[in-house]
Amino acid sequence: MQKDNMKKFKLTTVSQACLLAISVSAMPLLAAEEAQTAEKNNKEDAVEVITVTGVRGSIQQSMNDKRFSSEIMDGISAEDIGQLPDENIAEALQRVTGIQMTRDADGEGSTVQIRGISNNNVEINGQTSSGTGSDRSVNFQDLPSELFSGIEVLKASTADRIEGSLGGTINLKTRRPLGIQKDGVLSVTAKAKHSELAEETSPDFSVFGAKNWRDTALGDFGFLATVARKESHKRTEAFGGGDWDDAPGNWYRVDQSAGAKSPFKNTNYDTHRLDTAPIDVNKDGVIDANDNYYMVGGFRSYVKNTEVTRDSLNATLQWQPNDEMNFFIDTTITDGEQIDSGTQFNTAFTNAMPTMGFAQNFSSLGTSADGIQRHLYDAGTISGANIRMGGAPSEKELFSESEKFTIGGDIQITDDLNVSAEYSTSEGSSYTKQAQLNMGYDYDQNNQFNGNDWAGVTSFDLRGTDLGTYTSYDSPYGNGPLNEIMDPTSLEQSKLSYFQMQRNADDTEQDDESFKIDVTLDLDGDFFTGIKVGVRKAERSFGKISYINKSQKSTNSATDIDGNVVNTAVHIQSLSVDPAANGDDLFADSGMTQTEVAQQLQDDCFSTEGVKLDNFSGNVPQSWATTECGSDYYTDLFNLAPMRAIGANGIPMFETVGARFDVTEKTSAAYIRTDFYTEIFSGMTLFGNVGGRYIETETISSGYKDVGGTVDWATIRGEYDDFLPSLNLNIGLNEKMVLRFAAAKVMSRPGLAAISPSLKLTYQDDLEDGFVGTGQSGNPDLDPVRATNFDLSFEWYYSDSSMFSAALFYKDIESTIARQLPEDRTTIWIEKPNGDQEKWSVNSLENAEGTTLEGVELGLTHTFDSLPGLLSYTGVSANYTYTDEPSKIKDDEGDSIGRKGLSQDSANLVAFYDDKSLSVRLAYNWRSEYIKRQTVLLGWNAIPALPEYEDARGQLDLTVNYSFNKHLKLNFSAINLNDSVSERYLKYEDMNNYLSESGRRYNLGLVYRF
């Protein structure tokens, strides 16, 4: 339980200073500064109706927002209606000082970090956006950029801002209809997007319309709506391990004391058995831990194709009965479908070791912090291989939908008193189904895959190439000769059989509800200019159910809740891939012989795929056969029970035991904020705000929890409270220079899945000690991450469209959330619906030791207004961010593991031209290496683990806009012009774990405004 966390907070120096300022602000000796308050209000009103066009206009508007802010912030303004500087919101944000972007494997931006921190709030018009997952992050690919008029990146906390962010808050702003100067606007955008690697072109279409009715008998009315459909075809070609969060690494750490493994420990391998004598790797004459080494886990080529269709509707109705009242209703509806198809060809190794009688080569990786020498087995011949070929997955369909509704408004009760309120509710759901059909070599021809089938031999050389070179040999049963497999991808290989047919499904649901009320009082004082108080209550819930069904070694059946006998698995391993290699026995309940089933699978489900990987050196198969059929196809062909079928006992037949969870989080917050403004010297002003926010959090987590080694459904409640003071101090040194300081206590809650007691389990064959697989669990007792932030910033606006900025930031983070080290995992037993007990190895999340994070930001924007001719329309923008964090988290070799997603260095360089008709922007973004995953197991159910790094990457993008007239505009963009790639490695740069190409993308669009 988290009740232990409800200890009284101790006031720090920052807290005491902020509370003192708050108490002083409530004293009656407050004087007026009516001119400054009026100027502020007028400025906010003016910003609302500014029409921004072009690259230059967008930059100037963003500078204006930053310059007149009372906090440290950056902004992005749309270059036109429905047109942010980049189509993808994350890719637009990456160009902001202090922001680093994480790309998916397909190269498209998905999430961002602010000053190295991923724990950040994403808001839409000041309301928290919960995203589509359970980890609080928002995938910006799910948000159509056409909906937003601008973005605020708020790097310093204020008391009235919703809590939950360590690095900052990203506020996405939509338009209000009455803020548009014209009474009617209609804009239509049509776009074609081409993916070079996928060789596909997809359409985009959006319509923006707004209509205002002013000075009616009931006041002013406004309505706007944006309707959009986005389609995309993406392709990723990759080499190495998997790309999902829990994928094991593509490397093993070989402990020579373990000896030979199946099948090479038996007498069938007298000639090509494993070396039983340990190898003196470091040649010091002693066999010990310093002679253990890393060996590649396989040579895996992988392709993923993705088709996405997203429909969205955003509508706003606004009503201003008079100058003192303003009300609005917002609604956003999204509907999406994503179809993934993946395929792999993998020469995989399990329990593999060097083959007797062949030359082997090892290179040194250095000595790790635990004093042990580390080595890489980079060339030789190894035994223990097999082939895995086919869908990964064959097809995955994801359907999602969401609805969000917000109603709010404000009333100016007196000239000095304003009351505003908002109520927001949203719900979302997703439905997933997927299937995959894989093939492999049944070396012993017994219609079952087991340890004896890891019998192939492979010679390889990793030196001097990215992918390595390798040759596969057939299994040398019976002391026969070592024969090269001339075409390992051929479907006519006599030993090629179906290894597994697997179906999966997931269902998620989430709900959000919040209400807030804010009261703002303008003060007539010589120092304090306003006070703002408010309360907010919110409730968020997330639930997930997962299903899995595998067909491998046998045909099984069961009775469903309606009394029907249905198959729950088929003996897929009894089928050879080549139809001619099968017999005439009936297969399961298909009504066909084995030969007929094998032929139908080839006719219906097979195609050819492959990779080019032109940017990487090495030899890999260029093409192979793959399977494409989806879950429904296999369900019908083999008379299988549907994935969500209920058994006769009332329990779902295929639900993943332990993975179900439901989490609810309730929060109550109250705050007070005081604004101040004064002139301290001639020409110098002091302004800012000070305040505090008090929050109570209650969590209700339900799921399967490990209790004394057994698992049962449990509901766990937790609660904690926080007081978060904040101070933002700004000094206007003169009309062009601003010095800013901020101090605040902040907190970030764990993700909802992280505090669930659920289990995420993965079955795996050939595990030792009786384990059927590995798992990861949440931890309902996790504390939030709390920190104290300090910021110092200097800004120099040396012309209307040029500026220089420099900032220092420091974060004292009390704890971090990390997964337990592999050796800390626990063993649990889970009872299946049929009563069988299964043994699992599981690790969980924990609050690890805290750390400090500090860094520097530098930014420059300059327009060459004084240059002659066309050069006067040019400009440049550049920024650099340095972030340092001495992590206290260690890997199992004793070396430090950095924060996930944090690059020490990142930079942007942008050159632009804008003459109001033609605008061109060339933008380069670069970030240094960073931790992609902190803990990657070296094999299924492996104890050893290493961190995975994403290597440094830079990308060049081009954007061109041309206005033919005031109605018609042409847009063009080229993304990843330099064809940059993604490269990941496991701790040591020589241990490539995942290499991928996503290619260039081109967008061409027309915008017509009526």
Side-chain angles (χ1 to χ4, degrees):
M1 298 290 291
Q2 290 178 318
K3 290 184 177 179
D4 293 340
N5 300 328
M6 295 181 62
K7 54 183 178 289
K8 297 293 184 180
F9 56 85
K10 182 179 179 180
L11 292 180
T12 64
T13 303
V14 174
S15 303
Q16 295 174 23
C18 293
L19 285 174
L20 177 61
I22 294 170
S23 63
V24 171
S25 70
M27 297 174 62
L29 303 176
L30 300 177
E33 190 56 72
E34 185 173 347
Q36 286 82 3
T37 303
E39 178 185 350
K40 178 182 176 183
N41 292 336
N42 290 337
K43 180 188 64 143
E44 290 176 348
D45 292 340
V47 169
E48 180 70 17
V49 298
I50 284 176
T51 300
V52 179
T53 58
V55 175
R56 193 185 188 101
S58 172
I59 291 174
Q60 287 179 326
Q61 179 61 53
S62 300
M63 285 177 51
N64 187 61
D65 293 343
K66 180 181 179 72
R67 183 175 187 175
F68 294 104
S69 171
S70 60
E71 299 90 35
I72 298 173
M73 61 88 68
D74 286 284
I76 301 172
S77 297
E79 296 176 5
D80 203 344
I81 291 176
Q83 185 186 345
L84 287 172
D86 293 86
E87 180 182 321
N88 178 296
I89 293 174
E91 291 175 2
L93 284 166
Q94 71 174 327
R95 313 202 190 282
V96 173
T97 310
I99 288 190
Q100 299 166 347
M101 181 187 71
T102 298
R103 301 180 187 274
D104 285 345
D106 58 24
E108 188 172 356
S110 55
T111 59
V112 299
Q113 297 77 42
I114 302 177
R115 293 173 167 175
I117 301 290
S118 300
N119 313 59
N120 304 303
N121 282 352
V122 176
E123 300 175 354
I124 298 178
N125 296 327
Q127 289 281 358
T128 300
S129 176
S130 56
T132 56
S134 57
D135 61 353
R136 300 188 192 275
S137 68
V138 171
N139 187 333
F140 287 104
Q141 296 178 17
D142 296 332
L143 298 175
S145 61
E146 294 85 357
L147 300 183
F148 304 105
S149 61
I151 306 173
E152 295 176 328
V153 181
L154 306 164
K155 299 177 180 178
S157 180
T158 59
D160 56 327
R161 184 65 61 183
I162 299 172
E163 75 286 343
S165 171
L166 294 186
T169 295
I170 296 170
N171 184 37
L172 308 175
K173 300 185 296 182
T174 63
R175 288 178 171 81
R176 294 276 184 251
L178 293 177
I180 298 174
Q181 292 174 315
K182 294 183 178 180
D183 288 337
V185 174
L186 179 63
S187 176
V188 179
T189 301
K191 189 177 296 183
K193 303 183 300 183
H194 180 76
S195 170
E196 187 177 66
L197 198 60
E199 299 181 344
E200 295 279 357
T201 301
S202 308
D204 272 7
F205 185 77
S206 65
V207 178
F208 172 85
K211 177 63 177 175
N212 292 318
W213 296 269
R214 304 183 192 274
D215 300 324
T216 72
L218 297 177
D220 295 345
F221 290 89
F223 175 78
L224 66 76
T226 302
V227 180
R229 162 162 280 210
K230 299 175 69 70
E231 297 183 20
S232 65
H233 289 78
K234 296 181 286 187
R235 178 179 175 89
T236 302
E237 297 183 1
F239 180 85
D243 186 44
W244 67 97
D245 286 343
D246 304 325
N250 196 40
W251 292 85
Y252 297 106
R253 185 186 299 160
V254 178
D255 180 359
Q256 298 197 71
S257 65
K261 305 291 182 66
S262 175
F264 293 95
K265 60 187 178 184
N266 64 45
T267 57
N268 289 337
Y269 295 87
D270 291 338
T271 301
H272 299 292
R273 62 184 173 84
L274 300 177
D275 255 332
T276 55
I279 302 172
D280 185 10
V281 173
N282 64 356
K283 296 181 172 52
D284 64 353
V286 178
I287 304 297
D288 56 17
N290 290 313
D291 295 302
N292 294 338
Y293 54 88
Y294 289 106
M295 182 181 71
V296 68
F299 294 90
R300 175 180 179 264
S301 301
Y302 171 74
V303 174
K304 179 182 178 182
N305 293 296
T306 300
E307 299 179 25
V308 180
T309 302
R310 290 191 179 98
D311 297 321
S312 61
L313 167 66
N314 173 259
T316 298
L317 177 65
Q318 187 178 9
W319 176 36
Q320 292 181 350
N322 50 49
D323 291 341
E324 287 76 36
M325 296 182 180
N326 176 54
F327 305 101
F328 67 89
I329 298 174
D330 284 341
T331 185
T332 301
I333 301 172
T334 64
D335 185 87
E337 178 181 359
Q338 178 172 320
I339 301 176
D340 294 334
S341 60
T343 178
Q344 67 172 350
F345 182 85
N346 187 12
T347 300
F349 310 129
T350 292
N351 297 328
M353 293 180 72
T355 307
M356 179 178 290
F358 289 84
Q360 320 291 347
N361 191 79
F362 299 87
S363 59
S364 174
L365 296 172
T367 302
S368 54
D370 56 10
I372 296 177
Q373 298 173 23
R374 304 295 175 181
H375 302 278
L376 177 69
Y377 180 24
D378 55 15
T381 302
I382 54 179
S383 301
N386 204 307
I387 298 296
R388 291 291 182 264
M389 181 169 64
S394 303
E395 183 183 82
K396 177 181 179 181
E397 297 176 90
L398 169 63
F399 305 92
S400 61
E401 58 183 17
S402 66
E403 297 179 357
K404 185 177 181 66
F405 175 84
T406 303
I407 184 170
D410 67 274
I411 301 176
Q412 193 72 32
I413 297 177
T414 69
D415 289 344
D416 299 325
L417 181 63
N418 182 276
V419 178
S420 64
E422 285 186 23
Y423 170 77
S424 179
T425 180
S426 67
E427 59 182 25
S429 62
S430 69
Y431 171 95
T432 303
K433 58 181 180 180
Q434 76 175 57
Q436 60 189 45
L437 180 62
N438 306 120
M439 299 162 275
Y441 285 177
D442 182 9
Y443 275 122
D444 57 9
Q445 302 280 276
N446 67 347
N447 294 330
Q448 285 197 354
F449 284 76
N450 52 42
N452 286 331
D453 292 303
W454 292 98
V457 177
T458 300
S459 63
F460 72 99
D461 194 336
L462 303 179
R463 297 169 296 182
T465 63
D466 300 309
L467 310 179
T469 60
Y470 73 98
T471 302
S472 297
Y473 299 93
D474 215 342
S475 176
Y477 271 100
N479 302 326
L482 198 60
N483 297 317
E484 180 179 349
I485 301 176
M486 301 309 297
D487 182 9
T489 69
S490 172
L491 296 182
E492 296 180 358
Q493 291 284 346
S494 61
K495 296 169 183 170
L496 185 65
S497 298
Y498 290 106
F499 163 66
Q500 176 176 270
M501 189 274 292
Q502 178 175 311
R503 300 178 299 159
N504 296 76
D506 293 291
D507 298 327
T508 68
E509 289 189 0
Q510 63 176 2
D511 295 283
D512 290 89
E513 190 173 24
S514 66
F515 173 77
K516 70 172 185 175
I517 185 169
D518 302 284
V519 179
T520 303
L521 177 65
D522 293 334
L523 300 175
D524 251 353
D526 292 331
F527 185 73
F528 292 106
T529 60
I531 187 169
K532 187 175 182 180
V533 297
V535 295
R536 181 178 185 268
K537 293 187 70 69
E539 180 174 326
R540 180 186 179 191
S541 62
F542 187 92
K544 183 175 182 179
I545 306 175
S546 298
Y547 309 86
I548 186 171
N549 173 231
K550 290 186 177 184
S551 288
Q552 291 184 338
K553 303 176 187 296
S554 61
T555 296
N556 304 316
S557 62
T559 303
D560 66 18
I561 196 169
D562 297 321
N564 302 312
V565 177
V566 290
N567 285 334
T568 57
V570 295
H571 188 185
I572 200 72
Q573 293 182 0
S574 66
L575 278 180
S576 294
V577 174
D578 183 2
N582 290 279
D584 294 328
D585 295 337
L586 290 177
F587 184 78
D589 290 341
S590 64
M592 295 182 289
T593 66
Q594 290 181 319
T595 298
E596 291 170 335
V597 170
Q599 186 62 58
Q600 182 161 333
L601 286 173
Q602 285 211 16
D603 292 342
D604 295 347
C605 300
F606 274 66
S607 67
T608 300
E609 262 289 6
V611 296
K612 296 180 181 178
L613 296 174
D614 294 331
N615 291 297
F616 302 109
S617 58
N619 76 318
V620 297
Q622 294 294 301
S623 64
W624 60 88
T626 189
T627 55
E628 295 182 328
C629 290
S631 178
D632 294 341
Y633 177 88
Y634 299 117
T635 300
D636 296 338
L637 179 63
F638 300 125
N639 190 30
L640 292 165
M643 282 302 296
R644 295 167 176 82
I646 305 298
N649 56 3
I651 298 174
M653 288 183 173
F654 304 124
E655 182 178 351
T656 305
V657 178
R660 180 197 294 249
F661 69 88
D662 293 286
V663 177
T664 298
E665 179 182 85
K666 301 178 181 180
T667 62
S668 300
Y671 75 88
I672 180 172
R673 163 180 163 165
T674 299
D675 293 346
F676 52 85
Y677 180 98
T678 189
E679 185 173 325
I680 51 178
F681 298 107
S682 177
M684 294 181 60
T685 56
L686 174 69
F687 61 98
N689 58 76
V690 62
R693 188 177 185 91
Y694 176 76
I695 314 102
E696 294 179 348
T697 303
E698 177 186 1
T699 60
I700 305 170
S701 305
S702 298
Y704 289 94
K705 182 173 176 59
D706 169 29
V707 181
T710 61
V711 174
D712 202 358
W713 185 264
T715 297
I716 302 167
R717 295 178 178 269
E719 53 187 29
Y720 50 87
D721 62 271
D722 292 271
F723 176 70
L724 307 176
S726 61
L727 170 67
N728 290 276
L729 190 67
N730 309 274
I731 300 177
L733 302 174
N734 52 46
E735 293 182 353
K736 297 182 178 182
M737 297 181 183
V738 183
L739 183 66
R740 306 180 190 271
F741 171 78
K745 292 184 70 67
V746 296
M747 58 88 78
S748 176
R749 302 181 181 92
L752 296 184
I755 60 173
S756 74
S758 67
L759 294 166
K760 185 175 183 179
L761 305 173
T762 303
Y763 283 98
Q764 178 65 20
D765 289 338
D766 308 321
L767 300 182
E768 296 182 347
D769 302 324
F771 289 103
V772 298
T774 59
Q776 296 182 345
S777 70
N779 181 359
D781 296 321
L782 284 175
D783 290 332
V785 177
R786 300 179 173 94
T788 302
N789 293 351
F790 296 94
D791 300 272
L792 182 65
S793 172
F794 170 74
E795 300 162 14
W796 176 27
Y797 301 89
Y798 57 89
S799 78
D800 291 340
S801 54
S802 300
M803 68 162 290
F804 168 79
S805 65
L808 302 174
F809 54 89
Y810 177 87
K811 302 177 185 295
D812 186 0
I813 303 171
E814 294 183 8
S815 67
T816 58
I817 295 175
R819 193 157 290 283
Q820 294 172 324
L821 291 175
E823 60 264 27
D824 296 329
R825 292 181 300 178
T826 58
T827 298
I828 63 173
W829 294 86
I830 295 179
E831 182 177 346
K832 298 179 67 178
N834 63 6
D836 292 343
Q837 294 284 330
E838 293 182 325
K839 184 181 179 183
W840 294 86
S841 178
V842 176
N843 72 346
S844 183
L845 295 169
E846 62 184 359
N847 285 104
E849 193 173 357
T851 183
T852 60
L853 186 150
E854 58 191 12
V856 179
E857 295 176 354
L858 299 173
L860 173 69
T861 298
H862 183 82
T863 56
F864 298 100
D865 303 329
S866 59
L867 292 180
L870 296 178
L871 293 178
S872 65
Y873 300 120
T874 63
V876 294
S877 177
N879 61 60
Y880 167 77
T881 303
Y882 171 84
T883 308
D884 180 63
E885 181 183 34
S887 174
K888 298 179 181 179
I889 301 176
K890 307 293 184 182
D891 64 21
D892 65 355
E893 294 180 347
D895 293 303
S896 295
I897 304 175
R899 178 178 296 274
K900 179 180 177 181
L902 186 153
S903 288
Q904 179 174 276
D905 304 282
S906 62
N908 288 281
L909 180 61
V910 178
F912 62 88
Y913 172 93
D914 188 354
D915 64 9
K916 297 186 178 179
S917 293
L918 173 66
S919 65
V920 181
R921 187 195 63 176
L922 193 63
Y924 182 76
N925 172 267
W926 177 87
R927 65 180 300 186
S928 61
E929 65 181 19
Y930 64 92
I931 294 287
K932 182 72 174 180
R933 293 184 289 163
Q934 290 180 318
T935 303
V936 178
L937 301 181
L938 302 184
W940 298 98
N941 197 42
I943 292 298
L946 290 176
E948 182 184 54
Y949 285 81
E950 180 97 19
D951 206 359
R953 176 173 178 169
Q955 181 167 305
L956 182 66
D957 301 328
L958 172 69
T959 303
V960 180
N961 298 309
Y962 182 75
S963 297
F964 295 96
N965 51 50
K966 66 178 182 180
H967 298 292
L968 183 62
K969 176 187 285 189
L970 176 71
N971 298 328
F972 171 79
S973 62
I975 302 164
N976 194 20
L977 275 174
N978 58 327
D979 199 19
S980 65
V981 298
S982 176
E983 301 182 64
R984 304 175 194 165
Y985 57 88
L986 292 184
K987 185 175 180 177
Y988 303 100
E989 292 187 18
D990 290 333
M991 292 173 57
N992 287 331
N993 192 58
Y994 185 85
L995 310 174
S996 70
E997 295 177 346
S998 54
R1000 302 175 181 88
R1001 291 175 283 146
Y1002 303 97
N1003 302 326
L1004 180 64
L1006 286 173
V1007 180
Y1008 192 86
R1009 181 182 296 179
F1010 295 88

